[in-house]
Amino acid sequence: MTFEEFFDFLMSEECFNKCAVSFINNKGEQQYVEHDNLFAYQGRVVDLWFSGDDTIKVENYERIQPYDGTIHIFYAPVDAPSFPIHTDPIDIYIECLDGCKIMEIDDKYVEIEKGTKVFIPAETPHIALNSEKALTFSYGVNDTETLSYLRKDY
């Protein structure tokens, strides 16, 4: 998926109906895009995309691309905010789809280029450093708690 393909997906009715879209603001806080209808949703997404100020996050992509875990998509313009350093309760893989992502993982810097992945074990401190524009998938490995929640609702 390229930046352009991601934008097209983000603007689609399929994304609107099947995914949860949010953004990470300059305080590192996640805020969901509230939407009553497709037109209002698309207007908010266009504002976020062209402002270039925030990281855009799409959750529940596993509803579209089947996977035995969770898939979140992150689009980060240059110098976009990120979550503060944190850990996840599950193993994750980060795959760079377009651009280049620098991650700090357990006090080590790792560069993830287009077409490559990095594994982050559960409970390992990490943070995305958005010094370059990047589009990444975050794969939650065997995230049965989230999947159970999603499947009962979908």
Side-chain angles (χ1 to χ4, degrees):
M1 181 182 290
T2 65
F3 294 122
E4 294 78 17
E5 290 167 337
F6 175 68
F7 180 75
D8 290 345
F9 168 71
L10 194 59
M11 294 294 289
S12 72
E13 191 169 357
E14 182 177 41
C15 184
F16 173 75
N17 287 325
K18 294 184 177 179
C19 298
V21 176
S22 62
F23 62 97
I24 303 168
N25 66 21
N26 61 7
K27 296 178 184 175
E29 302 166 334
Q30 182 175 0
Q31 298 179 331
Y32 285 91
V33 174
E34 302 294 332
H35 47 75
D36 294 0
N37 61 65
L38 180 60
F39 183 75
Y41 161 80
Q42 289 172 328
R44 182 66 177 120
V45 166
V46 166
D47 288 345
L48 286 169
W49 185 271
F50 288 104
S51 77
D53 296 332
D54 303 299
T55 295
I56 299 173
K57 180 181 180 185
V58 175
E59 299 174 23
N60 309 332
Y61 192 68
E62 66 280 352
R63 290 179 171 172
I64 294 161
Q65 178 178 309
Y67 173 70
D68 189 25
T70 54
I71 305 173
H72 299 167
I73 307 171
F74 290 87
Y75 167 74
V78 174
D79 296 326
S82 179
F83 290 126
I85 195 160
H86 63 283
T87 62
D88 290 298
I90 57 170
D91 296 339
I92 60 172
Y93 281 95
I94 306 293
E95 178 182 16
C96 186
L97 303 171
D98 205 348
C100 181
K101 175 67 77 180
I102 307 288
M103 302 279 303
E104 183 180 334
I105 303 169
D106 207 15
D107 295 322
K108 295 177 185 80
Y109 292 95
V110 177
E111 183 175 321
I112 313 164
E113 296 178 340
K114 182 178 179 177
T116 62
K117 292 180 188 176
V118 67
F119 176 72
I120 304 174
E123 306 304 335
T124 301
H126 61 280
I127 186 171
L129 306 172
N130 297 322
S131 56
E132 298 185 41
K133 181 177 171 180
L135 179 64
T136 56
F137 273 9
S138 174
Y139 299 91
V141 180
N142 297 318
D143 187 357
T144 55
E145 181 179 327
T146 302
L147 285 175
S148 296
Y149 168 77
L150 290 173
R151 289 184 178 142
K152 76 173 183 181
D153 210 26
Y154 184 69

